[in-house]
Amino acid sequence: MPLPIGHALAGIAFFKARPGMFFASRWHEALFLIFLANLPDADFLPGMVLGHPNLYHHGIFHSLGAALAIGAAGGWFFYRKKKRFWEPAAAVFLVFYAHLLLDFFTQDFVAPYGLPLFWPFSRQYFIAARPFFINITRSGESSDFFISLFNQHNLAAAGREILILGGLLAAVMMVRRLLKKKVR
Ligand SMILES: [Zn+2]
């Protein structure tokens, strides 16, 4: 798993690519996309309540089935608000599934390795042969889970995420600027 900062940068890249997709307010839009880009990692929460945060992490909430369900829920929510279903549903699906792809490209030294990318169609766990994000070391106990995240190894991981996903964000902003210039 990349850190929340990496997923947030991916969410902001989407926000810059398609501003005004969900909300009229830029702040609402950015916060919603940052939330959505991090949403799959909410699967830490039930384990955290039980004392073992990793218990349900990289389970079925990190899967195609979950992305489809969240996409449909997003479509339904925005249909009620804006009478549009497919476009917001597809965008919610994409941002959620992009989180899973970032996790796919992250080192994982805790079994089960990778994530069930295509569940319920396949129960198999997938991980990239050459992941380019560094794994995040963390405690398996709720009591010191947050404090265990602050270490030099994770700092290096955060640095790489900022470099790669910050680069993606910069590229998106540059393309948007170029396209705007062309339209004028
Ligand atoms: Zn994740």
Side-chain angles (χ1 to χ4, degrees), residues 5 11 17 19 51 63-64 70-71 75 86 111 154 165 167-168 184:
I5 176 80
S63 71
L64 180 62
I70 295 290
W86 288 108
N154 290 353
L165 294 164
L168 168 77
R184 270 180 206 158

Side-chain angles (χ1 to χ4, degrees), residues 9 43 54 67 92 146 158 176:
L9 283 169
D43 65 5
N54 297 327
V92 166
F146 282 110
R176 285 282 309 178

Side-chain angles (χ1 to χ4, degrees), residues 118-138:
F118 300 108
W119 183 89
F121 304 104
S122 160
R123 286 179 167 274
Q124 206 181 327
Y125 272 61
F126 293 87
I127 185 163
R130 290 170 197 269
F132 44 73
F133 293 111
I134 302 171
N135 69 309
I136 303 301
T137 62
R138 55 186 191 261

Side-chain angles (χ1 to χ4, degrees), residues 79-128:
Y79 180 76
R80 286 171 51 124
K81 241 172 88 81
K82 296 183 162 188
K83 293 281 166 270
R84 286 186 304 140
F85 178 84
W86 288 108
E87 208 186 353
V92 166
F93 170 83
L94 269 180
V95 177
F96 191 96
Y97 208 70
H99 173 117
L100 310 189
L101 293 178
L102 293 182
D103 284 4
F104 171 77
F105 282 108
T106 307
Q107 295 172 333
D108 190 355
F109 300 119
V110 182
Y113 309 105
L115 56 162
L117 261 192
F118 300 108
W119 183 89
F121 304 104
S122 160
R123 286 179 167 274
Q124 206 181 327
Y125 272 61
F126 293 87
I127 185 163

Side-chain angles (χ1 to χ4, degrees), residues 10-11 13-15 17-23 29 32-40 66-76 78 82 84-99:
F14 188 90
F15 163 64
R18 281 298 305 270
M21 177 86 195
F22 300 103
F23 294 98
E29 180 94 349
F32 175 68
L33 282 165
I34 291 171
F35 165 77
L36 193 57
N38 276 290
L39 184 58
L68 288 171
I70 295 290
W76 173 77
F78 286 101
K82 296 183 162 188
R84 286 186 304 140
F85 178 84
W86 288 108
E87 208 186 353
V92 166
F93 170 83
L94 269 180
V95 177
F96 191 96
Y97 208 70
H99 173 117

Side-chain angles (χ1 to χ4, degrees), residues 1 7 41 57-58 62 99 103:
M1 56 163 231
H7 289 303
D41 286 341
H57 184 53
H58 278 187
H62 275 75
H99 173 117
D103 284 4

